[in-house]
């Protein structure tokens, strides 16, 4: 019945807007029978499917990756692979009935999101959507005309809210917002990066326009008992010679950011100089459940002028 609904709907959508992309079905569980059968029916009947989408709330980045890998395998057989969209992602839910603001401000949440996004990028998932941007208040009076179970929504949004938002109800910034701010500062050209520690994810990118390169580190163990502080040595190969500025940003218990500007405050900023043919090394302190962005920006032109 969902398949019939889908075909009926996309026919109308594409008639009105031929350039639209159509797909679905965004189930809460990516292994649900609905999405598995839906993909197979589209494949068998040649029904247009531009993307598939699903949700995942899980504390283990490896589980996010494994589900996405299964989804990729299900999409084998299409002439052109439909895009993969995780239309709601977050860490797992806390024990129901336990909810207080300190939980939302724990850097572990940010480290989990950074590690999860890393796994999706590595696997080549096309789009991910953090859920959600802003925490909300449930207004029973507004819902009463059409919604029957008002008490359950009061419980989930007003009494014991899940506090997954990047921002709280009053607009206060949460640590996970700054994960995305870090990603936006990295640059659009991905660089090779590797690490020899299983609980430390590393990615690197550069911006030719800004003359900068960046390394993002996420120290996150799915089992909190395995979380450890680390001193990380980063080795750069092939840095252009000359003067540069080093800046280190970190999401940790210190909450080193400005609520006014929504920018992270550097924990370190200094000039460095590099020579040709030398592998340059830097060290950073990487507390358990932290996220670090290290940026190196070329200042050779400034020095010459």
């Amino acid at each position: 019945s969902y398949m019939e609904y889908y075909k009926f709907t996309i026919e109308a959508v594409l008639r009105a807007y031929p350039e639209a992309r159509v797909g679905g079905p965004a189930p809460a569980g990516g292994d649900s029978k609905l999405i598995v059968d839906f993909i197979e029916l589209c494949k068998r009947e040649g029904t247009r499917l531009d993307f598939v989408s699903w949700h995942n709330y899980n504390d283990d980045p490896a589980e996010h990756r494994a589900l996405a890998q299964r989804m990729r395998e299900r999409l084998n057989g299409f002439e052109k692979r439909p895009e993969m969209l995780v239309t709601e992602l977050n860490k797992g839910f806390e024990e129901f009935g336990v909810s207080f603001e300190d939980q939302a401000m724990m850097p572990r949440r940010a480290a989990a999101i950074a590690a999860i996004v890393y796994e999706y990028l590595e696997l080549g998932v096309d789009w991910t959507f953090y859920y959600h941007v802003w925490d909300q208040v449930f207004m029973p009076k507004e819902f009463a005309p059409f919604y029957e179970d008002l008490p359950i929504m009061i419980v989930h949004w007003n009494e014991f809210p899940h506090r997954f938002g990047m921002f709280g109800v009053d607009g206060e910034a949460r640590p996970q917002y700054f994960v995305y701010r870090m990603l936006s500062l990295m640059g659009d050209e991905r660089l090779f990066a590797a690490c020899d520690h299983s609980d430390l994810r590393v990615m690197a990118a550069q911006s030719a326009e800004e003359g900068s390169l960046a390394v993002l580190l996420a120290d996150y163990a799915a089992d909190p008992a395995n979380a450890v502080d680390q001193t990380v040595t980063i080795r750069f190969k092939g840095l252009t010679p000359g003067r540069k500025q080093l800046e280190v940003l970190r999401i940790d218990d210190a909450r080193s950011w400005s609520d006014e500007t929504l920018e992270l405050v550097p924990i370190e900023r200094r000039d460095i100089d590099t020579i040709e043919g030398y592998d340059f090394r830097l060290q950073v302190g990487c507390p358990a459940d932290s996220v670090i962005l290290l940026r190196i920006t070329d200042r050779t032109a400034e020095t010459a002028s």
Side-chain angles (χ1 to χ4, degrees):
S1 60
Y2 178 81
M3 185 64 174
E4 291 304 313
Y5 168 75
Y6 175 73
K7 289 190 290 187
F8 171 80
T9 305
I10 65 170
E11 180 184 344
V13 169
L14 294 171
R15 187 168 62 245
Y17 180 39
E19 293 79 21
R21 291 195 285 179
V22 293
D31 284 323
S32 74
K33 180 174 170 56
L34 170 61
I35 196 168
V36 173
D37 291 351
F38 172 66
I39 291 171
E40 286 306 310
L41 279 168
C42 287
K43 196 184 303 183
R44 187 185 317 145
E45 298 181 8
T47 303
R48 179 167 168 176
L49 184 64
D50 297 321
F51 63 86
V52 294
S53 57
W54 68 94
H55 305 165
N56 197 356
Y57 292 81
N58 197 302
D59 281 343
D60 190 347
E63 291 296 324
H64 285 263
R65 183 184 181 114
L67 176 54
Q69 182 63 52
R70 291 194 294 275
M71 201 67 71
R72 178 183 286 277
E73 291 167 0
R74 290 167 189 149
L75 296 173
N76 289 336
F78 285 91
E79 184 177 347
K80 180 183 178 182
R81 176 182 68 78
E83 290 188 326
M84 298 185 292
L85 283 65
V86 186
T87 41
E88 288 185 24
L89 80 85
N90 214 306
K91 64 176 293 299
F93 290 87
E94 262 87 20
E95 176 189 353
F96 180 68
V98 178
S99 176
F100 49 93
E101 182 62 14
D102 290 359
Q103 290 175 313
M105 301 303 291
M106 292 171 61
R108 180 169 173 79
R109 288 196 175 194
I113 296 304
I116 290 165
V117 169
Y118 169 86
E119 297 297 344
Y120 284 134
L121 286 170
E122 288 295 291
L123 190 63
V125 170
D126 299 284
W127 300 90
T128 66
F129 301 82
Y130 178 89
Y131 190 84
H132 48 265
V133 173
W134 207 295
D135 280 342
Q136 298 296 316
V137 179
F138 177 67
M139 304 296 189
K141 187 176 180 180
E142 295 180 15
F143 276 70
F146 63 90
Y147 198 87
E148 292 183 358
D149 196 351
L150 297 178
I152 193 171
M153 298 303 286
I154 292 172
V155 169
H156 279 272
W157 288 100
N158 293 352
E159 292 184 343
F160 304 105
H162 298 293
R163 305 178 195 269
F164 277 160
M166 290 183 182
F167 297 91
V169 174
D170 262 1
E172 61 276 17
R174 304 256 175 78
Q176 48 271 31
Y177 163 77
F178 294 100
V179 173
Y180 286 90
R181 182 67 184 122
M182 285 180 168
L183 290 168
S184 76
L185 293 170
M186 291 189 69
D188 54 10
E189 182 185 349
R190 190 88 183 265
L191 300 175
F192 173 78
C195 179
D196 58 5
H197 193 292
S198 60
D199 291 330
L200 190 65
R201 276 89 173 173
V202 57
M203 64 179 87
Q206 68 179 0
S207 169
E209 182 179 345
E210 295 183 4
S212 66
L213 64 84
V215 178
L216 187 142
L217 300 165
D219 186 355
Y220 178 79
D223 182 351
N226 296 331
V228 294
D229 297 342
Q230 304 183 65
T231 300
V232 178
T233 302
I234 305 169
R235 183 187 299 269
F236 297 89
K237 289 184 177 292
L239 280 182
T240 57
R243 186 177 175 184
K244 300 169 178 60
Q245 183 183 73
L246 165 70
E247 186 176 66
V248 181
L249 309 173
R250 187 167 66 199
I251 304 170
D252 57 19
D253 283 323
R255 303 186 187 182
S256 300
W257 63 72
S258 166
D259 288 314
E260 286 71 35
T261 65
L262 294 180
E263 295 291 349
L264 287 155
V265 178
I267 63 167
E268 180 180 14
R269 182 185 283 146
R270 61 187 174 93
D271 281 3
I272 58 174
D273 211 325
T274 57
I275 59 175
E276 193 167 355
Y278 179 76
D279 289 352
F280 191 78
R281 293 168 298 174
L282 291 169
Q283 285 190 327
V284 292
C286 197
D289 299 331
S290 67
V291 187
I292 291 173
L293 180 68
L294 184 150
R295 298 180 77 207
I296 295 177
T297 306
D298 187 54
R299 296 189 63 185
T300 305
E302 293 178 35
T303 305
S305 62

